Coordinates of all heavy atoms in Angstrom, one line a residue:
V49 N -10.7 -0.4 19.1 CA -11.1 -0.2 17.7 C -9.8 0.2 16.8 O -9.6 -0.3 15.8 CB -12.1 1.1 17.6 CG1 -12.3 1.5 16.2 CG2 -13.4 0.5 18.1
F50 N -9.0 1.2 17.4 CA -7.8 1.6 16.7 C -6.7 0.6 16.6 O -6.2 0.3 15.5 CB -7.2 2.8 17.5 CG -7.8 4.2 17.3 CD1 -8.6 4.6 18.3 CD2 -7.5 5.0 16.4 CE1 -9.3 5.8 18.2 CE2 -8.2 6.2 16.1 CZ -9.1 6.6 17.0
K51 N -6.7 -0.3 17.6 CA -5.7 -1.4 17.5 C -6.2 -2.5 16.6 O -5.3 -2.9 15.6 CB -5.6 -2.0 18.8 CG -4.5 -2.8 19.2 CD -3.9 -3.0 20.6 CE -3.0 -4.2 20.7 NZ -3.6 -5.3 21.3
I52 N -7.5 -2.9 16.5 CA -7.9 -3.9 15.6 C -7.8 -3.5 14.1 O -7.4 -4.3 13.4 CB -9.4 -4.2 15.8 CG1 -9.6 -4.9 17.3 CG2 -10.1 -4.9 14.8 CD1 -10.9 -4.9 17.8
K53 N -8.1 -2.3 13.8 CA -7.9 -1.8 12.5 C -6.5 -1.4 12.1 O -6.2 -1.3 10.8 CB -8.7 -0.4 12.3 CG -10.1 -0.6 12.0 CD -10.8 0.8 11.6 CE -10.2 1.5 10.5 NZ -11.2 1.4 9.3
G54 N -5.7 -1.2 13.1 CA -4.3 -0.7 12.8 C -4.4 0.8 12.3 O -3.7 1.3 11.5
R55 N -5.3 1.4 12.9 CA -5.6 2.9 12.5 C -4.6 3.8 13.3 O -4.6 3.7 14.4 CB -7.1 3.1 12.8 CG -7.5 4.6 12.4 CD -9.0 4.7 12.7 NE -9.6 6.0 12.4 CZ -10.5 6.2 11.5 NH1 -10.6 5.2 10.5 NH2 -11.0 7.3 11.2
P56 N -4.1 4.7 12.6 CA -3.4 5.8 13.4 C -4.3 6.5 14.4 O -5.3 6.9 14.1 CB -2.9 6.8 12.3 CG -3.1 6.1 11.0 CD -4.2 5.0 11.1
Q57 N -3.7 6.7 15.6 CA -4.4 7.4 16.7 C -4.8 8.9 16.3 O -5.7 9.4 16.8 CB -3.6 7.5 18.0 CG -3.2 6.2 18.6 CD -4.4 5.7 19.5 OE1 -5.3 6.3 19.7 NE2 -4.2 4.5 20.0
S58 N -4.2 9.4 15.3 CA -4.4 10.8 14.9 C -5.5 10.9 14.0 O -5.8 11.9 13.5 CB -3.1 11.3 14.3 OG -2.8 10.5 13.2
N59 N -6.1 9.9 13.8 CA -7.4 9.9 12.7 C -8.8 9.6 13.5 O -9.0 8.5 14.0 CB -7.2 8.7 11.7 CG -8.0 8.8 10.5 OD1 -8.9 10.0 10.4 ND2 -8.1 8.0 9.5
P60 N -9.5 10.6 13.7 CA -10.6 10.6 14.5 C -11.7 9.8 14.0 O -11.9 9.4 12.8 CB -11.0 12.1 14.7 CG -10.5 12.7 13.4 CD -9.3 12.1 13.1
L61 N -12.6 9.4 14.9 CA -13.9 8.6 14.6 C -15.2 9.3 14.5 O -15.3 10.4 15.0 CB -13.9 7.5 15.7 CG -12.8 6.6 16.1 CD1 -13.1 5.7 17.2 CD2 -12.3 5.8 14.9
I62 N -16.1 8.7 13.8 CA -17.4 9.2 13.7 C -18.3 8.6 14.7 O -18.2 7.5 15.0 CB -18.2 8.9 12.3 CG1 -17.3 9.5 11.1 CG2 -19.6 9.4 12.3 CD1 -17.8 9.1 9.8
V63 N -19.1 9.5 15.4 CA -20.0 9.0 16.5 C -21.3 8.9 15.9 O -21.9 9.8 15.3 CB -20.1 10.2 17.6 CG1 -21.1 9.6 18.7 CG2 -18.7 10.4 18.2
H64 N -21.9 7.7 15.9 CA -23.1 7.3 15.4 C -24.3 7.4 16.5 O -24.2 6.8 17.6 CB -23.1 5.9 15.0 CG -22.1 5.7 13.6 ND1 -20.8 5.9 13.8 CD2 -22.4 5.5 12.4 CE1 -20.2 5.6 12.8 NE2 -21.2 5.5 11.7
I65 N -25.3 8.1 16.1 CA -26.6 8.1 17.0 C -27.8 7.6 16.4 O -27.9 7.6 15.1 CB -26.7 9.7 17.4 CG1 -27.0 10.5 16.3 CG2 -25.4 10.2 18.2 CD1 -27.4 12.1 16.6
S66 N -28.8 7.5 17.2 CA -30.1 7.0 16.8 C -31.2 7.8 17.2 O -32.4 7.4 17.2 CB -30.3 5.5 17.1 OG -30.2 5.3 18.4
N67 N -30.8 8.9 17.8 CA -31.8 10.0 18.5 C -31.1 11.3 18.3 O -30.1 11.6 18.8 CB -32.0 9.4 19.9 CG -32.8 10.3 20.7 OD1 -33.0 11.5 20.4 ND2 -33.5 9.7 21.7
I68 N -31.9 12.1 17.7 CA -31.3 13.6 17.6 C -30.9 14.2 18.8 O -30.0 15.1 18.8 CB -32.4 14.5 16.8 CG1 -32.8 14.0 15.4 CG2 -32.0 15.9 16.8 CD1 -31.8 14.4 14.2
D69 N -31.6 14.0 20.0 CA -31.3 14.6 21.2 C -29.7 14.5 21.5 O -29.1 15.5 22.0 CB -31.9 13.8 22.4 CG -33.4 14.1 22.3 OD1 -33.8 15.0 21.6 OD2 -34.1 13.4 23.0
W70 N -29.1 13.3 21.1 CA -27.6 13.3 21.3 C -26.8 14.2 20.5 O -25.7 14.7 20.9 CB -27.2 11.8 21.0 CG -27.4 10.9 22.0 CD1 -28.5 9.9 22.1 CD2 -26.7 10.7 23.3 NE1 -28.4 9.2 23.3 CE2 -27.3 9.7 24.0 CE3 -25.4 11.4 23.7 CZ2 -26.7 9.3 25.2 CZ3 -25.0 11.0 25.0 CH2 -25.5 10.0 25.7
L71 N -27.4 14.8 19.4 CA -26.5 15.8 18.6 C -26.3 17.0 19.5 O -25.2 17.6 19.5 CB -27.3 16.1 17.3 CG -26.9 17.5 16.6 CD1 -25.6 17.1 15.9 CD2 -27.9 17.8 15.6
Y72 N -27.4 17.4 20.3 CA -27.2 18.4 21.2 C -26.3 18.3 22.4 O -25.6 19.1 23.0 CB -28.5 19.0 21.5 CG -29.4 19.4 20.4 CD1 -30.1 18.5 19.5 CD2 -29.2 20.8 19.9 CE1 -30.8 19.0 18.5 CE2 -29.9 21.2 18.8 CZ -30.7 20.3 18.0 OH -31.4 20.6 17.0
K73 N -26.3 17.0 22.8 CA -25.4 16.7 23.9 C -24.0 16.5 23.5 O -23.0 16.8 24.4 CB -25.8 15.3 24.6 CG -27.2 15.3 25.1 CD -27.5 13.9 25.9 CE -28.9 13.8 26.0 NZ -29.5 12.4 26.1
L74 N -23.6 16.1 22.3 CA -22.3 15.8 21.9 C -21.5 17.0 21.3 O -20.4 17.1 21.2 CB -22.3 14.9 20.8 CG -22.7 13.4 21.1 CD1 -23.0 12.5 20.0 CD2 -21.7 12.7 22.0
T75 N -22.4 18.2 21.2 CA -21.8 19.5 20.4 C -22.1 20.5 21.4 O -22.9 20.6 22.4 CB -22.4 19.6 19.1 OG1 -23.9 19.8 19.4 CG2 -22.2 18.4 18.2
K76 N -21.3 21.7 21.1 CA -21.4 23.0 21.9 C -22.5 23.8 21.3 O -23.3 24.4 22.0 CB -20.2 23.7 21.7 CG -19.1 23.3 22.7 CD -18.2 24.7 23.0 CE -17.3 24.3 24.2 NZ -16.0 24.0 23.7
E77 N -22.7 23.7 20.0 CA -23.7 24.6 19.3 C -24.2 24.0 17.9 O -23.3 23.5 17.2 CB -22.9 25.9 19.0 CG -23.8 27.0 18.7 CD -23.1 28.1 17.9 OE1 -21.9 28.2 17.8 OE2 -23.8 29.1 17.4
V78 N -25.5 24.0 17.8 CA -26.1 23.5 16.5 C -26.6 24.7 15.8 O -27.7 25.2 16.2 CB -27.0 22.4 16.8 CG1 -27.6 21.8 15.3 CG2 -26.3 21.2 17.5
K79 N -26.0 25.1 14.7 CA -26.6 26.3 14.0 C -27.7 26.0 13.2 O -27.9 24.9 12.9 CB -25.4 26.9 13.2 CG -24.3 27.5 14.0 CD -23.7 28.6 13.2 CE -22.7 29.5 14.0 NZ -21.3 29.2 13.7
K80 N -28.4 27.1 12.8 CA -29.7 26.9 11.9 C -29.3 26.1 10.7 O -30.1 25.1 10.4 CB -30.1 28.2 11.6 CG -31.5 28.3 10.8 CD -32.7 28.2 11.7 CE -33.8 27.8 11.0 NZ -34.5 26.7 11.5
E81 N -28.2 26.4 10.1 CA -28.0 25.7 8.8 C -27.7 24.2 9.0 O -28.1 23.3 8.1 CB -26.7 26.3 8.0 CG -25.4 26.2 8.6 CD -25.0 27.5 9.1 OE1 -25.8 28.2 9.8 OE2 -23.8 28.1 8.7
V82 N -27.2 23.8 10.2 CA -27.0 22.3 10.5 C -28.4 21.7 10.7 O -28.6 20.6 10.2 CB -26.1 22.1 11.7 CG1 -26.1 20.7 12.1 CG2 -24.9 22.9 11.6
E83 N -29.3 22.4 11.3 CA -30.5 21.9 11.4 C -31.3 21.7 10.2 O -32.1 20.7 10.0 CB -31.4 22.8 12.4 CG -30.9 22.6 13.9 CD -31.7 23.4 14.8 OE1 -32.2 24.6 14.5 OE2 -31.6 22.9 16.1
I84 N -31.1 22.7 9.3 CA -31.9 22.6 8.0 C -31.3 21.3 7.2 O -31.9 20.4 6.6 CB -31.5 23.8 7.0 CG1 -32.2 25.1 7.6 CG2 -31.8 23.6 5.6 CD1 -31.7 26.3 7.0
L85 N -29.9 21.0 7.3 CA -29.4 19.9 6.7 C -29.7 18.5 7.3 O -30.2 17.8 6.6 CB -27.8 19.8 6.8 CG -27.1 20.9 5.9 CD1 -25.6 20.7 6.1 CD2 -27.4 20.7 4.5
I86 N -29.9 18.6 8.6 CA -30.3 17.3 9.3 C -31.7 17.0 9.0 O -32.1 15.8 9.0 CB -29.8 17.0 10.7 CG1 -30.4 18.0 11.6 CG2 -28.1 17.2 10.8 CD1 -30.1 17.9 13.0
D87 N -32.5 17.9 9.1 CA -34.1 17.8 8.7 C -34.1 17.1 7.3 O -34.9 16.3 7.3 CB -34.5 19.2 8.5 CG -35.4 19.7 9.7 OD1 -35.4 18.9 10.8 OD2 -36.1 20.6 9.6
K88 N -33.4 17.5 6.5 CA -33.4 16.8 5.1 C -32.7 15.6 5.0 O -33.2 14.6 4.4 CB -32.9 17.9 4.0 CG -32.7 17.3 2.7 CD -33.5 18.1 1.6 CE -33.3 17.6 0.2 NZ -34.2 16.6 -0.3
Y89 N -31.6 15.2 5.6 CA -30.7 14.3 5.3 C -30.6 13.2 6.3 O -30.1 12.2 6.1 CB -29.3 14.7 4.7 CG -29.3 15.4 3.6 CD1 -29.2 16.9 3.5 CD2 -29.6 14.8 2.3 CE1 -29.1 17.5 2.3 CE2 -29.7 15.4 1.1 CZ -29.4 16.7 1.1 OH -29.5 17.4 0.0
W90 N -31.1 13.5 7.6 CA -31.0 12.4 8.5 C -32.4 11.8 8.9 O -33.3 12.6 8.8 CB -30.5 13.1 10.0 CG -29.0 13.3 10.0 CD1 -28.1 13.1 9.1 CD2 -28.3 13.6 11.3 NE1 -26.8 13.2 9.5 CE2 -27.0 13.6 10.8 CE3 -28.6 14.1 12.5 CZ2 -25.9 13.9 11.8 CZ3 -27.7 14.3 13.4 CH2 -26.3 14.3 13.1
P91 N -32.4 10.4 9.2 CA -31.2 9.5 9.1 C -30.8 9.4 7.8 O -31.6 9.4 6.7 CB -31.9 8.2 9.7 CG -33.3 8.5 10.0 CD -33.6 9.9 9.5
G92 N -29.4 9.3 7.6 CA -28.9 9.1 6.3 C -27.3 9.3 6.2 O -26.6 9.3 7.2
A93 N -26.9 9.3 5.0 CA -25.4 9.1 4.7 C -24.7 10.4 4.7 O -23.9 10.8 3.9 CB -25.3 8.5 3.4
L94 N -25.1 11.5 5.8 CA -24.4 12.6 6.1 C -23.7 12.7 7.4 O -24.4 12.4 8.3 CB -25.4 13.9 5.9 CG -24.8 15.2 6.0 CD1 -23.9 15.5 4.8 CD2 -25.9 16.3 6.2
T95 N -22.4 13.1 7.4 CA -21.8 13.2 8.7 C -21.6 14.7 8.8 O -20.9 15.3 7.9 CB -20.4 12.5 8.7 OG1 -20.8 11.1 8.6 CG2 -19.6 12.7 9.9
V96 N -21.9 15.2 10.1 CA -21.5 16.6 10.2 C -20.5 16.7 11.4 O -20.5 16.2 12.4 CB -22.8 17.5 10.7 CG1 -23.7 17.7 9.4 CG2 -23.5 16.9 11.8
I97 N -19.5 17.6 11.1 CA -18.5 17.9 12.2 C -18.7 19.2 12.8 O -18.7 20.2 12.1 CB -17.0 17.8 11.4 CG1 -16.8 16.5 10.9 CG2 -16.0 18.2 12.4 CD1 -15.5 16.2 10.1
L98 N -18.8 19.2 14.1 CA -19.2 20.4 14.8 C -18.4 20.5 16.0 O -17.7 19.7 16.4 CB -20.6 20.2 15.2 CG -21.7 20.1 14.2 CD1 -23.1 19.9 14.7 CD2 -21.7 21.5 13.3
P99 N -18.2 21.8 16.7 CA -17.5 21.9 17.9 C -18.0 20.9 18.9 O -19.2 20.9 19.2 CB -17.9 23.4 18.2 CG -18.2 24.1 16.9 CD -18.9 23.1 16.2
K100 N -17.2 20.2 19.5 CA -17.5 19.2 20.6 C -17.8 19.7 21.8 O -17.3 20.7 22.4 CB -16.4 18.1 20.6 CG -15.3 18.4 21.4 CD -14.3 17.1 21.5 CE -13.3 17.4 22.6 NZ -13.9 17.1 24.0
S101 N -18.6 18.8 22.6 CA -18.9 19.3 24.0 C -18.0 18.4 24.8 O -17.2 17.5 24.3 CB -20.4 19.0 24.4 OG -20.5 17.4 24.4
D102 N -17.9 18.6 26.1 CA -17.0 18.1 27.0 C -17.3 16.6 27.3 O -16.3 15.9 27.7 CB -17.1 18.7 28.4 CG -16.6 20.1 28.4 OD1 -15.9 20.5 27.4 OD2 -17.0 20.9 29.2
I103 N -18.4 16.0 27.0 CA -18.6 14.6 27.1 C -17.9 13.6 26.0 O -17.9 12.5 26.1 CB -20.1 14.2 27.2 CG1 -20.9 14.3 25.9 CG2 -20.7 14.9 28.4 CD1 -22.2 13.7 25.9
V104 N -17.4 14.3 25.0 CA -16.6 13.7 23.9 C -15.2 13.5 24.3 O -14.6 14.5 24.3 CB -16.9 14.3 22.5 CG1 -16.2 13.5 21.4 CG2 -18.4 14.5 22.2
S105 N -14.7 12.4 24.3 CA -13.3 12.2 24.6 C -12.3 12.6 23.6 O -12.7 12.4 22.4 CB -12.9 10.8 25.2 OG -12.8 10.0 24.1
D106 N -11.0 12.9 24.0 CA -10.1 13.2 22.9 C -9.6 12.0 22.2 O -9.1 12.1 21.1 CB -8.7 13.6 23.7 CG -9.0 15.1 24.2 OD1 -9.8 15.7 23.7 OD2 -8.2 15.5 25.0
K107 N -9.9 10.7 22.7 CA -9.6 9.4 22.0 C -10.4 9.5 20.8 O -9.9 9.0 19.5 CB -10.1 8.3 22.9 CG -9.3 7.9 23.9 CD -8.1 7.0 23.6 CE -7.5 6.7 24.9 NZ -6.0 6.4 24.4
I108 N -11.7 9.9 20.7 CA -12.5 9.8 19.7 C -12.1 10.9 18.6 O -12.1 10.6 17.4 CB -14.1 10.1 20.0 CG1 -14.6 9.1 20.9 CG2 -15.0 10.3 18.7 CD1 -16.0 9.3 21.5
T109 N -11.9 12.0 19.0 CA -11.5 13.2 18.1 C -10.1 13.4 17.8 O -9.8 14.4 17.1 CB -12.0 14.5 18.7 OG1 -11.3 14.8 19.8 CG2 -13.5 14.4 19.1
A110 N -9.2 12.4 18.2 CA -7.8 12.6 18.1 C -7.3 14.1 18.6 O -6.6 14.7 17.9 CB -7.5 12.5 16.7
S111 N -8.0 14.4 19.7 CA -7.6 15.8 20.5 C -8.0 17.0 19.6 O -7.7 18.1 20.1 CB -6.3 15.8 20.8 OG -5.8 14.8 21.6
L112 N -8.7 16.8 18.6 CA -9.4 18.0 17.9 C -10.5 18.5 18.8 O -11.0 17.8 19.6 CB -10.0 17.6 16.5 CG -9.0 17.1 15.5 CD1 -9.7 16.6 14.3 CD2 -7.9 18.1 15.0
D113 N -10.8 19.9 18.6 CA -11.9 20.4 19.4 C -13.3 20.1 18.6 O -14.3 20.8 19.0 CB -11.7 21.8 19.9 CG -11.4 22.7 18.7 OD1 -11.6 22.3 17.4 OD2 -10.7 23.7 18.8
S114 N -13.3 19.3 17.6 CA -14.6 19.0 16.9 C -15.0 17.6 16.9 O -14.1 16.8 17.1 CB -14.5 19.6 15.4 OG -13.3 18.8 14.8

Side-chain angles (χ1 to χ4, degrees):
V49 171
F50 282 95
K51 197 155 166 257
I52 289 165
K53 272 187 67 105
R55 182 180 178 104
Q57 294 278 351
S58 56
N59 194 4
L61 307 179
I62 297 174
V63 181
H64 295 67
I65 60 174
S66 59
N67 176 331
I68 299 276
D69 293 347
W70 276 103
L71 171 68
Y72 296 88
K73 293 184 206 160
L74 294 165
T75 58
K76 276 213 175 100
E77 193 195 357
V78 180
K79 292 209 172 110
K80 186 82 199 125
E81 65 251 53
V82 177
E83 285 177 334
I84 292 171
L85 287 182
I86 63 172
D87 256 8
K88 168 120 178 95
Y89 294 110
W90 277 9
L94 179 71
T95 297
V96 290
I97 298 178
L98 300 172
K100 79 172 192 78
S101 72
D102 294 339
I103 64 166
V104 181
S105 85
D106 284 344
K107 289 263 181 217
I108 296 175
T109 66
S111 300
L112 296 172
D113 51 18
S114 59

